[in-house]
């Protein structure tokens, strides 16, 4: 495939500058921000957040950045148009996580208004796009689990979470059967994180995968304009009806499990949340949405599922609650996004001088918005260090920009299906072997998460 659109917006370019040794030194001498920014970090991030929070809602780091920890101040930064973000979650395969100097050198960040508008349109359309394929995704989840139930072992990330996310995205985008094998290969190459500098063969494979993905989007976008369906690409290229409401995936899944119906449901034609601006996205915007879902959405979904199951197995009473009522899968997803979210922090830079918690912040300065710390703020969440499915209220989860919100939207959908299937089919699931955290502080998840699937030893 070829003919990649030339104007697809790229995320901010990361730079490996001369500051790595200084970062290493600061981390070794106790600077908590430096520890989090180290590429190989696998420590207790939440202990570092509390250590910084004990000194106030913002923390001055010797790295030159200001870490913002309270929910109030993090929300303030994210909603302030004077800040731009450098979002590492949507980076191309092989790119390292951002460093403070990278964002200062490139203060424009990835908050391109045209991209955020496309993401804002796309995010609420994911759920209705999946609605018509919910039973097929549910079947895929059960099939993946069935294969490993016989062997009594399961790597939750590689054997279940990531392939389920790929299947979910394939259905959302309406990938034709003939293209499914190559699409799966594309997702495997550019949807999984690559830590450090990739070998030349890996970089070449990633380049080819990006080219093929762009060419596939061009083909599908052209076909769907001629003959639209219920998939996301069709919905993105068609005017939105502001009077229609989104489909309830949870109710549909409950119906599927209650009746054991494995037949394809009919599309309800529901189109999205009220208030979505009507009008069509252009090809570059559609391509950017699809690229972000592959590059960032799949990884976010796999991390969310892994973090959720790790939290559930660490809190047996909560796992028993989900086993008894699998329809609470959506509550598990929301609590995980608060308690242990995939996206831990993001880097912002002000374009003009601003005041933050009584401190003057000059333009171009690095501000780390500690998303995970904010969502354990006791001023906002009672008993914030407790994983609790019974929380009565769920304030909005913080997200840096449209790309992150879009990735989390896909993760929510995949997470609901995954957790419902796990609770229904593998109620005896239990950890087995050593879980391996992925390196780096910006995105929290696992590279390996081994489980036993029955009560046998």
């Amino acid at each position: 495939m070829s003919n990649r659109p030339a104007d697809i917006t790229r995320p901010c370019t990361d730079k490996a500058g001369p500051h790595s040794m200084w970062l290493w030194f600061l981390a070794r001498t106790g600077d908590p921000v430096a520890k989090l920014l180290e590429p190989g970090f696998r420590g207790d991030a939440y202990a570092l957040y509390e250590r910084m929070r004990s000194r106030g809602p913002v923390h001055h780091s010797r790295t030159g950045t200001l870490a913002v920890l309270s929910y109030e101040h993090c929300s303030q930064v994210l909603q302030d148009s004077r800040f731009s973000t450098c979002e590492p979650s949507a980076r191309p395969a092989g790119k390292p996580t951002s460093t403070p100097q990278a964002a200062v050198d490139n203060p424009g960040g990835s908050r391109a208004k045209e991209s955020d508008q496309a993401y804002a349109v796309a995010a609420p359309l994911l759920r209705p796009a999946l609605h018509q394929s919910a039973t097929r995704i549910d079947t895929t989840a059960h099939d993946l689990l069935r294969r490993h139930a016989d062997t009594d072992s399961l790597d939750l990330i590689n054997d279940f979470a990531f392939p389920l996310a790929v299947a979910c995205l394939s259905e959302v985008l309406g990938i034709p059967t003939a293209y499914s094998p190559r699409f799966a290969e594309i997702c495997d190459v550019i949807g999984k994180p690559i830590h450090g500098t990739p070998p030349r063969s890996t970089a070449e494979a990633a380049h080819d995968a990006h080219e093929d993905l762009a060419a596939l989007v061009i083909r599908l976008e052209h076909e769907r304009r001629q003959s639209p369906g219920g998939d996301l690409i069709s919905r993105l290229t068609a005017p939105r009806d502001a009077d229609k409401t989104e489909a309830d995936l949870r109710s549909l899944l409950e119906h599927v499990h209650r009746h054991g119906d494995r037949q394809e449901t009919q599309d309800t034609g529901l189109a999205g949340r009220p208030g979505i601006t009507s009008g069509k996205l252009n090809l570059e915007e559609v391509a950017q949405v699809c690229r972000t879902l592959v590059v960032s959405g799949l990884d976010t979904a796999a991390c969310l599922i892994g973090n959720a199951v790790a939290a559930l197995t660490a809190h047996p009473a909560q796992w028993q609650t989900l086993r008894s009522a699998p329809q609470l899968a959506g509550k598990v997803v929301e609590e995980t996004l608060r308690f242990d979210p995939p996206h831990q922090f993001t880097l912002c830079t002000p374009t003009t001088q601003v005041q933050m918690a009584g401190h003057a912040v000059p333009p171009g300065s690095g501000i780390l918005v500690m998303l995970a710390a904010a969502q354990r703020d006791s001023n906002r969440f009672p008993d914030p260090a407790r994983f609790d499915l019974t929380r009565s209220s769920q304030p909005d989860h913080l997200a840096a920009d449209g790309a992150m919100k879009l990735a989390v939207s896909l993760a929510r959908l995949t997470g609901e299906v995954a957790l419902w299937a796990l609770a229904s089919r593998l109620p005896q699931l239990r950890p087995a072997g050593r879980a391996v955290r992925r390196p780096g502080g910006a995105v929290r998840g696992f590279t390996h998460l081994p489980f036993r699937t029955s009560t046998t030893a």
Side-chain angles (χ1 to χ4, degrees), residues 357-438:
H359 302 280
V361 182
S365 302
I367 294 186
L368 278 174
V369 181
M370 314 305 282
L371 305 169
Q375 289 168 165
R376 289 198 185 189
D377 185 345
S378 60
N379 292 322
R380 186 78 178 192
F381 303 95
D383 198 2
R386 186 182 76 246
F387 184 76
D388 184 6
L389 305 186
T390 65
R391 290 185 185 274
S392 57
S393 61
Q394 294 283 355
D396 291 340
H397 299 295
L398 299 176
D401 57 14
M404 185 181 290
K405 291 176 183 176
L406 184 65
V408 170
S409 295
L410 179 66
R412 276 190 169 101
L413 297 177
T414 310
E416 284 188 41
V417 176
L419 292 165
W420 195 312
L422 286 166
S424 302
R425 189 166 187 86
L426 298 180
Q428 305 301 327
L429 193 71
R430 69 192 192 283
R434 177 173 171 264
V436 180
R437 281 280 180 188
R438 60 186 290 165

Side-chain angles (χ1 to χ4, degrees), residues 78 85-87 89 110-111 116 119 399-406:
L78 296 178
T85 60
C86 183
E87 177 48 56
S89 67
S110 66
R111 185 176 282 174
D116 269 0
Y119 297 142
D401 57 14
M404 185 181 290
K405 291 176 183 176
L406 184 65

Side-chain angles (χ1 to χ4, degrees), residues 176 210 244 251 284 286 352 380 446:
H210 279 288
K244 294 181 179 179
S251 298
E284 289 75 20
V286 173
T352 185
R380 186 78 178 192
F446 293 89

Side-chain angles (χ1 to χ4, degrees), residues 66 68 73-86 107-113 116 346-357 359-369 400-401:
L66 185 71
V68 182
H73 290 100
C74 286
S75 180
Q76 176 185 333
V77 171
L78 296 178
Q79 295 178 30
D80 193 329
S81 61
R82 294 174 297 174
F83 288 90
S84 60
T85 60
C86 183
S110 66
R111 185 176 282 174
K113 292 183 178 179
D116 269 0
T346 193
L347 188 63
C348 295
T349 58
T351 56
T352 185
Q353 181 162 305
V354 297
Q355 292 290 321
M356 178 56 56
H359 302 280
V361 182
S365 302
I367 294 186
L368 278 174
V369 181
D401 57 14

Side-chain angles (χ1 to χ4, degrees), residues 17 23 31 50 60 73-74 127 150 209 271 276 283 319 321 358 371 423:
L23 191 68
D31 188 280
E50 290 309 310
H60 286 275
H73 290 100
C74 286
R127 187 174 290 267
D150 296 336
I276 292 298
L283 174 58
W319 174 235
T321 298
L371 305 169

Side-chain angles (χ1 to χ4, degrees), residues 225-304:
R225 285 188 186 273
Q226 303 301 317
S227 180
D231 58 273
L232 180 63
I233 294 176
S234 294
R235 294 173 186 271
L236 291 175
T237 58
R240 260 69 58 194
D241 186 342
D243 295 328
K244 294 181 179 179
T245 57
E246 70 173 34
D248 187 348
L249 178 66
R250 195 168 306 138
S251 298
L252 179 60
L253 285 173
E254 187 172 6
H255 172 82
V256 169
H257 283 272
R258 183 185 300 121
H259 298 284
D261 181 10
R262 290 292 184 266
Q263 301 298 317
E264 180 180 351
T265 57
Q266 297 297 315
D267 182 15
T268 61
L270 299 179
R273 290 182 181 145
I276 292 298
T277 304
S278 62
K280 300 179 181 180
L281 299 188
N282 61 40
L283 174 58
E284 289 75 20
E285 291 171 324
V286 173
Q288 178 67 18
V289 165
C290 295
R291 177 182 176 276
T292 298
L293 286 171
V294 173
V295 173
S296 179
L298 295 175
D299 187 38
T300 301
C303 288
L304 176 62

